[in-house]
Amino acid sequence: MRGKRIYFEDINVNDKIPELVMSNLNRTQFVKYAGASGDFNPIHHDQTFAEASGFKTVFAMGMLSMGYLSRILTDYFGVGNVTKFGVRFAAMTWPGDNITCKGIITKKYTDGARNLVDLDVFCENQKGEKTLIGSATACLPQKG
Amino acid sequence: MDKSVLGKETQEFVWEVEKGKIGDFADAIEDDNPAYYDDGHHVENSTLRGVVAPLTFGTRLNFIRGAERIDLKLDWHKVLHGEQQFEYFKPIRPGDKLYCKTKIVEIYEKSGRSGTMTFAVAETTCRDKNGEIVLIARGTTIERS
């Protein structure tokens, strides 16, 4: 959930940040993301192309899941406070899948005048498989 | 994949950031944060006022009309997105003109049960009109054998 301003003092290592669940993903969401991102690789919307590539059907762009995952960072830390965000795409996301986006604080430190926190972030499907695995860094204000 | 493109860099291209595109992108990830739509928003935990781009908006960098692309000569039936990283230095806002270049910084192979996979890492650096870095995006493309 989008919330109050978070300060460096509010954060502890091993804290979990609020999750986001995206249920029953569908092809229309993939197509909408294709239009908004510019990614028209047919493997994400064209059944014929997907089958010719050896897949049972189209699958979501990894970047769509990364977009969902980004929301838990900006909802919790606020827009403007994330300095790094990276993921590895570990498994495919299919139409009908449920994706849960999660993050856990791994490190809290200062770098010069900046107060930083590192997180492990990931997306998990309904079978408990991790589909995206990554990390992020946020720079937070101090209560002063 | 054409491995000879390692080290190759594009000409500079200009990314003109449009407010409507930011809103459409946020809508596609179903993020209703007013920071992506409303110039006058007052989102309590946002450090920034005015509209800014979502964290993964830089995915559009691969699809800028008129931008030079390095042709990896990929078989698109076998292509997967392996990794993606962003480093954020300054917010991206509507009306920004960002001056960008993409370079192939790494190409390598890995062998597994399903054969050899080839990886190419493309790094795009975007600067503002003063030459200051705004965004670095690093994407790994995989071609299955």
Side-chain angles (χ1 to χ4, degrees), chain B residues 1-142:
Chain B
M1 190 185 292
D2 176 6
K3 294 180 202 157
S4 73
V5 297
L6 177 63
K8 200 174 172 198
E9 189 171 40
T10 64
Q11 295 291 310
E12 185 175 86
F13 58 94
V14 180
W15 182 20
E16 292 196 47
V17 179
E18 297 168 53
K19 186 175 168 186
K21 293 278 193 205
I22 290 176
D24 287 347
F25 188 89
D27 195 35
I29 58 170
E30 295 166 61
D31 193 337
D32 63 1
N33 193 323
Y36 305 135
Y37 306 93
D38 177 5
D39 289 314
H41 75 81
H42 290 286
V43 178
E44 186 181 340
N45 69 2
S46 174
T47 308
L48 303 167
R49 294 291 164 245
V51 168
V52 295
L55 291 176
T56 60
F57 190 61
T59 191
R60 288 194 55 78
L61 278 169
N62 296 316
F63 310 104
I64 305 286
R65 192 175 295 118
E68 183 192 352
R69 285 192 192 95
I70 296 166
D71 186 2
L72 294 166
K73 299 198 171 65
L74 298 168
D75 175 352
W76 283 96
H77 286 289
K78 296 178 176 173
V79 169
L80 297 170
H81 193 176
E83 293 186 27
Q84 184 67 44
Q85 283 126 27
F86 296 106
E87 282 181 71
Y88 309 98
F89 297 88
K90 289 181 166 194
I92 295 175
R93 295 182 179 280
D96 281 356
K97 269 191 183 181
L98 301 177
Y99 301 88
C100 313
K101 279 185 184 179
T102 301
K103 185 175 184 178
I104 306 299
V105 294
E106 206 177 341
I107 292 186
Y108 57 96
E109 288 183 345
K110 273 188 192 172
S111 297
R113 268 174 305 178
S114 54
T116 302
M117 300 202 294
T118 312
F119 296 69
V121 183
E123 185 173 281
T124 302
T125 304
C126 302
R127 296 173 183 270
D128 62 16
K129 62 180 189 305
N130 301 318
E132 291 176 11
I133 295 178
V134 173
L135 175 72
I136 297 176
R138 212 171 287 110
T140 304
T141 300
I142 302 176

Side-chain angles (χ1 to χ4, degrees), chain A residues 72-142:
Chain A
I72 65 169
L73 299 172
T74 45
D75 278 355
Y76 187 66
F77 295 113
V79 169
N81 295 321
V82 178
T83 61
K84 272 188 204 172
F85 180 30
V87 301
R88 179 169 66 81
F89 302 103
M92 279 154 180
T93 296
W94 304 100
D97 278 358
N98 302 330
I99 292 296
T100 304
C101 304
K102 298 181 180 183
I104 181 164
I105 309 288
T106 55
K107 193 176 170 189
K108 179 178 173 180
Y109 55 107
T110 53
D111 176 16
R114 302 199 310 162
N115 302 311
L116 301 171
V117 295
D118 289 347
L119 299 89
D120 282 345
V121 290
F122 54 96
C123 293
E124 201 173 79
N125 65 19
Q126 65 280 2
K127 296 175 198 160
E129 294 165 340
K130 289 191 170 69
T131 57
L132 268 71
I133 301 168
S135 60
T137 302
C139 181
L140 295 175
Q142 254 177 321

Side-chain angles (χ1 to χ4, degrees), chain A residues 46-97:
Chain A
D46 182 334
Q47 180 71 23
T48 310
F49 188 93
E51 286 177 14
S53 306
F55 299 107
K56 60 187 175 186
T57 185
V58 298
F59 53 93
M61 303 81 166
M63 291 306 297
L64 176 59
S65 293
M66 191 179 183
Y68 296 147
L69 185 58
S70 76
R71 290 172 49 187
I72 65 169
L73 299 172
T74 45
D75 278 355
Y76 187 66
F77 295 113
V79 169
N81 295 321
V82 178
T83 61
K84 272 188 204 172
F85 180 30
V87 301
R88 179 169 66 81
F89 302 103
M92 279 154 180
T93 296
W94 304 100
D97 278 358

